[in-house]
Amino acid sequence: MSKLTHLDKHGAAHMVDVSAKEASDREATAEATIALSPEAFEAVVEGTAPKGDVFAVARIAGIMAAKKTSELIPLCHPLALTNASVEFEPAADGSAIRILSTVKTTGQTGVEMEALTAASITALTIYDMIKAVDKNATIGGVRLIAKSGGKSGEYRATARGTFKPAAAAALPVRSKPATLMGEVAAPRPRADTAVQREAFRAFMASHGLRATEWAKTAGVSSGQILAFLTGKSRAIPSDVAEKLAHAARVRVEDMFR
């Protein structure tokens, strides 16, 4: 068993002296999952939660948490982070959201705790943002996914669980899919799917539209709206988009800009 570095020879807790270590590039990725009710999940992906845009607020909270880890975990070193990011993977079945946080630095100690703290605080922020809709939302699965740099080198977690993301591509890399025949895309300057999705979400929020009610009025399935918002589909079929636009009394292109 490895020696616990946070204990001195007398068994007392102390901050590890890293002054003799050489600085190296360090990176760590952690995850957390929050299970939600269908209503809460819909509110999150649509951007209609009572407190506003859940993803935007939770992402900033996670990044801030990474920067403040040494103030929260007693024996962590204050670090000059070179990057901190938070991404989200809505589950394909609409039941949960997976959080992935990645933190980087160049220094004498790793950023595992910063990544874990970012994932945890992001999940707690999502809970705070949707607790009015779902007080039973459950946070779990907080763990380190990968790390690199330092004396211990590379680490990759073993696969576990049955979380199935709605998006086809693994985060944080997002591919740029081609528009399929019969699907509607945003204007050419907004060809990237992620941009289309955010514009569509913003349109719904600004017009006070909820997927289930809007879909019912338009005579389409709300699942087609949610599939696009969660990344399960890359675009909304043109006939569905026409009906949604008609129900909202706008042009199709207005929904994507």
Side-chain angles (χ1 to χ4, degrees), residues 41-207:
F41 182 87
E42 182 177 311
V44 171
V45 298
E46 289 181 5
T48 58
K51 291 188 175 183
D53 190 332
V54 175
F55 287 144
V57 175
R59 177 177 285 111
I60 293 299
I63 292 171
M64 290 178 64
K67 294 161 64 176
K68 290 183 172 292
T69 298
S70 64
E71 298 176 28
L72 301 170
I73 311 297
L75 302 179
C76 285
H77 296 78
L79 300 177
L81 305 184
T82 56
N83 185 59
S85 64
V86 175
E87 298 295 336
F88 304 96
E89 283 185 353
D93 62 1
S95 64
I97 294 170
R98 183 190 187 203
I99 299 153
L100 289 170
S101 60
T102 299
V103 181
K104 299 179 182 179
T105 192
T106 298
Q108 296 161 299
T109 189
V111 285
E112 293 94 322
M113 292 308 303
E114 283 71 16
L116 287 162
T117 299
S120 301
I121 295 300
T122 299
L124 286 169
T125 302
I126 292 177
Y127 182 90
D128 178 60
M129 294 288 286
I130 55 86
K131 64 181 185 290
V133 179
D134 181 16
K135 288 183 172 58
N136 195 45
T138 304
I139 295 169
V142 180
R143 65 166 180 159
L144 183 69
I145 295 297
K147 60 85 62 178
S148 63
K151 185 178 180 180
S152 62
E154 300 281 335
Y155 167 79
R156 298 283 173 182
T158 55
R160 73 178 187 190
T162 58
F163 185 91
K164 297 180 180 179
L171 293 184
V173 177
R174 292 181 182 272
S175 60
K176 182 179 178 181
T179 303
L180 302 179
M181 183 178 294
E183 293 184 335
V184 63
R188 287 187 181 276
R190 292 183 177 273
D192 183 81
T193 301
V195 177
Q196 295 177 31
R197 186 173 294 114
E198 290 306 313
F200 187 75
R201 184 178 287 117
F203 171 80
M204 290 181 62
S206 66
H207 286 72

